Amino acid sequence: MKGHEPKVPRMEDILSLPVQDPPCAEFSAAHIKWVKVEGGRQGGDDIALIPFPRVDDFVKGESSNAECPASFRIESRRKRSEGSISKPRVDCYLEYTLYWCSYGPEDYRDSESTMGDGSHTKPATGKGSRPGRRHMMRGCLCHFTVKRLYTRPFLALIIYNQRKHVDKTGAPCHGILDVDAVGTRAMYAPRISEELRQKVMSLLYIGISLDNIIQHHAEVVQGHGAPLNRDAFLTRNDVRNMERIVRNSSYKLHADDEFSVRMWIQRHQKHVFFFQDMSSTEPFILGIQTDWQLQQMIRYGHSGSVASHSTFGLKKLKYPLCTLLVFDSSQNAIPVAWIITSSFVTQDINKWIGSLAERIRTKDPSWRPNAFLVDDPSFDISFIRVAFQCRSLLCTWHIRRAWMRSLLKKCRNIDVQREMFKHLGWILYSTRSGSNADDAIEEFMQVYVDQCIFMDYFKRRWLPYIELWINSIRSLPVASMEPQAAIEFYHLRLKSKLFDQQHANSYTRIDWLIHTLTTGFHSLYWLDQYSAETGYFTNARDKSFLTNAWYQALQIPDVDVILDEQNLQLAKVISQTNRSLAYTLWNPGSEFSLCDCPWSRQGNLCKHVIKVAILCKNRQVARPLLASQVYRQALLTLLQNPPDDPLVLEHAILRVSRLQQDIKGLEDLSNNGLLQPSMPEMNSQVGDSLLLFLLLH
């Protein structure tokens, strides 16, 4: 009966309902099978169970109703803390949220003609006049309740009180079914979409003027023809309101940094995939991912690769920053998640990576990357394999860049620089003294004992960790220069935007870092994608960060590379801007090549080094991948010394089968340009040996 509380089924009845998780990114009531319960204001409510993380997807799907486009606002919200109730009822909630169509519940259609005579009517809900929304109120009664169940916090109970967009007479009150709404804005959703809001806010953060935004929007709408939705009616007032938000936004929500961060988290909960406050036993951890970043991670990370850019700002920022990256079709790195932690991110990856993977697969259950690239050997890859269900690769961009920049700074002789850099490569890959890396290190320190400044740096910064790096290279495949170039390019862009001297006083505040990342820096990457896909605002992009070194290397013709395959001591690449100039590369084909171009002399991976490496790979004159050699050596040892114990033999055969799968996977990654090149004859020999072993045993 009306006015009575809905009759809720018993606990076992509700918990026996199927948890429905439609595979589409956004879903509506039409995708769900509803169970009707007795009671309710409209003579019976529909209920269903969905995963709690998918509530936002349901709200977005309901807002996209073709017949009655709407925007559901939160009319009321209540929360309880866990443990606050000793005997919870079946419908007891941790969180209670009432969503109501923005075209109701008040109805001002009849009073529009008298709004100028000074008469006002207080809304039935007692919430005042709802300033700025009177013109939208058409008496719509469509609303639903979402309860995050107290006994099952991972589930949400949806109670649909009124599914139809009708007024108190039962007639349609907006959308195409309402004859009075035809030709007016009431045909469409009452507010602009989140996508358009993201677009306008990003353009404003970048510095695009209000007039240019309005002009651009008019061109886009004109290209579509007739209005498709509320977005077609974007007004100067809409943009001016968002411009005011951008102008008045401040990172400092509170004088105390910790309080300020908590306030930001409270206001942006949908962008936080993990949060752990600092305590006496636990570190501070904050994982941030916007809706746009989630879309890019699903788009480019599926069947692609995800990479870590870890421990950025270790010396300047209060807490170091870790970024997860994906790579677009032009092999540019796109930041898709930021993790800020008071400890090393590698130590607490088990705490946040599962939450991130769950967030992604909630949107797309089939999502799975091909590889995860780690730039720090201390990462516990077992957690990555469990969360992302993919193989892990080691990316050496960080150690290569650190060694190169230190050499250029601490050693002035270019001949000594290139020899030391090559020797460092021998140490890292243990190719100078076989498997004994200690001998290579000892030889290096004796030969270059006069380079005391660099040696002091090497002993202090890298010697304690060199064994960890070498062991990781022996156990993990090593990523090629293609992702290394993209990650380094992101590093340079991040550094240029964050470490501006005008913000030096803010480096030690976490709220400043969060605000900078999620506003201006985030907008730069949004603009890159939007401009590449539509051709708009190309002049607004940062000219110094349009393409990375890998893309630039692909533009160099092969004929501009002078390479003596019989004597791979050096190579020359003709300059693309000055044809009379040629740059010299030492140790060509290796990632430890050294070029004398200005970009390389600043410690960066340049396009000339990459171009020569690509050419060496295509001509099969590059050094085989060490990880492949390790796999091959392990297999040959097993073939030469087969175990006598049947149980051990069975285990060995299983190991051989897995090795065969691993090598096949490495070949696929190498063919896709993600791995350093390996000798084709090595792979065929390993494959033949595997087949022979399996046939004999």
Side-chain angles (χ1 to χ4, degrees):
M1 292 188 299
K2 293 184 179 182
H4 287 194
E5 291 292 329
K7 182 179 179 181
V8 184
R10 294 174 301 173
M11 181 178 294
E12 55 269 24
D13 295 331
I14 284 186
L15 296 182
S16 66
L17 293 177
V19 180
Q20 303 179 61
D21 190 4
C24 41
E26 297 175 1
F27 61 98
S28 65
H31 296 89
I32 293 178
K33 295 181 179 179
W34 298 90
V35 176
K36 189 173 291 294
V37 295
E38 298 179 3
R41 299 177 188 175
Q42 308 302 322
D45 296 334
D46 295 330
I47 65 172
L49 286 177
I50 67 170
F52 180 74
R54 300 219 62 188
V55 169
D56 285 344
D57 298 331
F58 175 74
V59 175
K60 290 179 181 179
E62 278 296 275
S63 300
S64 303
N65 188 313
E67 293 183 346
C68 295
S71 175
F72 285 88
R73 69 174 182 275
I74 296 177
E75 185 75 2
S76 64
R77 171 178 281 170
R78 297 190 292 272
K79 291 185 179 182
R80 290 192 181 105
S81 59
E82 294 187 30
S84 59
I85 298 178
S86 58
K87 295 182 179 180
R89 297 190 326 176
V90 59
D91 63 332
C92 188
Y93 60 84
L94 275 175
E95 298 180 25
Y96 168 98
T97 309
L98 172 62
Y99 292 89
W100 204 295
C101 175
S102 290
Y103 280 111
E106 297 88 3
D107 191 348
Y108 288 105
R109 288 175 294 180
D110 295 336
S111 61
E112 285 179 354
S113 59
T114 60
M115 288 180 71
D117 61 5
S119 61
H120 299 281
T121 304
K122 185 179 180 180
T125 59
K127 291 201 173 186
S129 62
R130 300 184 186 274
R133 292 214 295 257
R134 290 175 62 97
H135 65 285
M136 299 179 357
M137 296 300 169
R138 303 176 68 85
C140 187
L141 298 178
C142 182
H143 65 285
F144 58 89
T145 302
V146 176
K147 291 184 177 183
R148 186 179 189 181
L149 295 180
Y150 188 94
T151 57
R152 298 290 189 274
F154 53 88
L155 295 181
L157 175 66
I158 302 179
I159 306 173
Y160 225 132
N161 310 106
Q162 172 56 270
R163 288 177 58 182
K164 296 181 179 179
H165 291 267
V166 296
D167 57 21
K168 61 184 179 181
T169 68
C173 53
H174 62 95
I176 61 176
L177 299 181
D178 179 11
V179 294
D180 294 331
V182 175
T184 70
R185 291 188 185 181
M187 284 183 61
Y188 310 103
R191 294 184 178 85
I192 63 174
S193 65
E194 283 298 317
E195 289 75 14
L196 180 57
R197 179 179 174 82
Q198 169 71 63
K199 174 181 176 179
V200 174
M201 293 289 283
S202 296
L203 293 175
L204 289 170
Y205 277 120
I206 291 165
I208 307 299
S209 68
L210 185 150
D211 291 336
N212 287 340
I213 293 175
I214 292 295
Q215 180 181 353
H216 164 66
H217 186 72
E219 294 174 1
V220 173
V221 172
Q222 187 176 8
H224 291 159
L228 301 176
N229 49 44
R230 166 64 176 86
D231 289 355
F233 299 98
L234 181 74
T235 65
R236 295 181 67 88
N237 195 48
D238 292 327
V239 181
R240 191 175 290 111
N241 289 336
M242 286 184 275
E243 185 182 43
R244 188 179 301 112
I245 294 174
V246 171
R247 185 170 58 249
N248 296 334
S249 65
S250 172
Y251 71 86
K252 193 178 292 187
L253 302 178
H254 192 280
D256 183 275
D257 189 29
E258 293 183 6
F259 281 104
S260 184
V261 170
R262 293 193 192 103
M263 291 175 65
W264 186 92
I265 292 172
Q266 186 65 30
R267 297 180 183 182
H268 302 84
Q269 291 186 17
K270 67 177 183 178
H271 295 158
V272 177
F273 67 85
F274 185 85
F275 174 63
Q276 176 180 279
D277 211 346
M278 180 179 285
S279 67
S280 58
T281 57
E282 298 292 346
F284 172 90
I285 304 175
L286 175 61
I288 302 172
Q289 184 180 64
T290 67
D291 290 339
W292 181 82
Q293 287 179 309
L294 177 59
Q295 294 169 10
Q296 305 310 305
M297 192 166 191
I298 293 174
R299 176 182 179 183
Y300 293 113
H302 180 62
S303 298
S305 55
V306 180
S308 65
H309 173 271
S310 59
T311 62
F312 176 83
L314 199 59
K315 296 180 180 179
K316 292 187 177 181
L317 299 177
K318 181 176 181 179
Y319 298 148
L321 170 69
C322 174
T323 306
L324 296 189
L325 305 165
V326 294
F327 307 95
D328 64 13
S329 55
S330 299
Q331 280 304 304
N332 287 313
I334 302 174
V336 292
W338 290 298
I339 301 94
I340 305 170
T341 173
S342 58
S343 64
F344 287 107
V345 69
T346 58
Q347 297 175 359
D348 299 298
I349 186 174
N350 61 304
K351 296 183 178 179
W352 56 263
I353 196 168
S355 299
L356 178 60
E358 181 183 356
R359 175 184 174 95
I360 299 167
R361 292 199 172 97
T362 296
K363 283 283 188 180
D364 184 359
S366 65
W367 184 87
R368 183 177 179 180
N370 279 339
F372 190 101
L373 282 61
V374 297
D375 63 348
D376 188 327
S378 62
F379 268 104
D380 191 334
I381 61 174
S382 63
F383 293 113
I384 299 174
R385 287 172 176 167
V386 170
F388 284 176
Q389 301 173 11
C390 66
R391 68 181 71 250
S392 296
L393 277 64
L394 183 64
C395 189
T396 59
W397 79 271
H398 177 64
I399 191 171
R400 177 198 181 277
R401 177 179 174 81
W403 284 353
M404 185 176 179
R405 287 174 61 84
S406 184
L407 272 175
L408 295 174
K409 181 179 179 180
K410 303 179 189 308
C411 177
R412 299 299 181 182
N413 189 313
I414 189 171
D415 294 327
V416 177
Q417 288 173 358
R418 64 172 182 253
E419 290 302 320
M420 291 181 70
F421 198 49
K422 181 166 63 175
H423 210 135
L424 287 169
W426 291 341
I427 293 174
L428 195 60
Y429 289 94
S430 300
T431 56
R432 179 69 169 177
S433 305
S435 60
N436 193 345
D438 293 339
D439 292 343
I441 296 173
E442 183 65 27
E443 178 186 354
F444 174 72
M445 299 180 71
Q446 289 180 1
V447 172
Y448 303 106
V449 65
D450 57 326
Q451 302 297 323
C452 52
I453 300 178
F454 179 84
M455 286 302 170
D456 290 342
Y457 159 80
F458 181 77
K459 293 177 184 178
R460 181 184 72 257
R461 175 64 181 86
W462 294 103
L463 196 56
Y465 308 102
I466 195 67
E467 184 177 355
L468 179 61
W469 275 97
I470 293 173
N471 290 337
S472 295
I473 286 179
R474 289 177 177 175
S475 60
L476 291 175
V478 180
S480 70
M481 289 187 186
E482 186 172 358
Q484 287 192 44
I487 296 173
E488 183 176 279
F489 195 67
Y490 170 79
H491 173 83
L492 294 172
R493 192 174 196 182
L494 180 63
K495 186 177 180 180
S496 69
K497 297 304 177 185
L498 286 188
F499 294 154
D500 190 329
Q501 285 303 314
Q502 63 176 332
H503 303 302
N505 294 332
S506 304
Y507 293 163
T508 57
R509 290 189 64 102
I510 307 173
D511 56 0
W512 169 82
L513 176 61
I514 295 171
H515 178 79
T516 304
L517 290 174
T518 56
T519 55
F521 191 68
H522 181 279
S523 298
L524 291 176
Y525 283 90
W526 177 92
L527 179 65
D528 287 344
Q529 290 294 303
Y530 184 74
S531 179
E533 294 172 358
T534 65
Y536 288 110
F537 298 111
T538 55
N539 294 331
R541 297 180 63 187
D542 190 340
K543 301 298 187 296
S544 58
F545 290 98
L546 289 178
T547 56
N548 62 41
W550 179 269
Y551 183 84
Q552 296 169 13
L554 298 180
Q555 313 309 312
I556 301 177
D558 291 353
V559 295
D560 286 351
V561 179
I562 305 170
L563 179 67
D564 185 358
E565 297 181 14
Q566 304 303 319
N567 182 21
L568 285 177
Q569 297 299 317
L570 58 84
K572 290 186 178 292
V573 180
I574 298 175
S575 171
Q576 301 302 291
T577 56
N578 183 0
R579 305 294 297 176
S580 63
L581 178 63
Y583 296 112
T584 303
L585 283 80
W586 293 271
N587 195 24
S590 165
E591 62 179 315
F592 282 84
S593 296
L594 201 60
C595 180
D596 62 358
C597 73
W599 186 246
S600 180
R601 298 302 295 172
Q602 296 178 30
N604 304 306
L605 181 60
C606 71
K607 59 184 178 182
H608 311 109
V609 168
I610 296 175
K611 176 62 183 180
V612 173
I614 294 174
L615 207 59
C616 287
K617 176 185 176 182
N618 293 340
R619 297 180 183 179
Q620 297 183 1
V621 296
R623 181 182 72 250
L625 178 68
L626 178 63
S628 299
Q629 298 179 51
V630 173
Y631 276 123
R632 179 177 180 272
Q633 186 58 47
L635 175 61
L636 292 178
T637 301
L638 185 61
L639 291 173
Q640 294 168 3
N641 303 286
D644 296 327
D645 191 317
L647 292 177
V648 177
L649 179 61
E650 183 179 354
H651 175 75
I653 293 175
L654 178 61
R655 176 174 173 79
V656 168
S657 301
R658 289 179 178 174
L659 280 171
Q660 187 180 34
Q661 296 173 4
D662 285 343
I663 292 173
K664 179 60 171 65
L666 293 177
E667 288 178 353
D668 295 338
L669 291 175
S670 182
N671 293 335
N672 292 332
L674 200 58
L675 282 178
Q676 294 182 3
S678 58
M679 290 297 188
E681 62 271 16
M682 184 195 73
N683 293 333
S684 61
Q685 179 183 354
V686 169
D688 294 341
S689 300
L690 279 168
L691 182 60
L692 177 63
F693 183 89
L694 292 173
L695 288 174
L696 293 177
H697 297 85

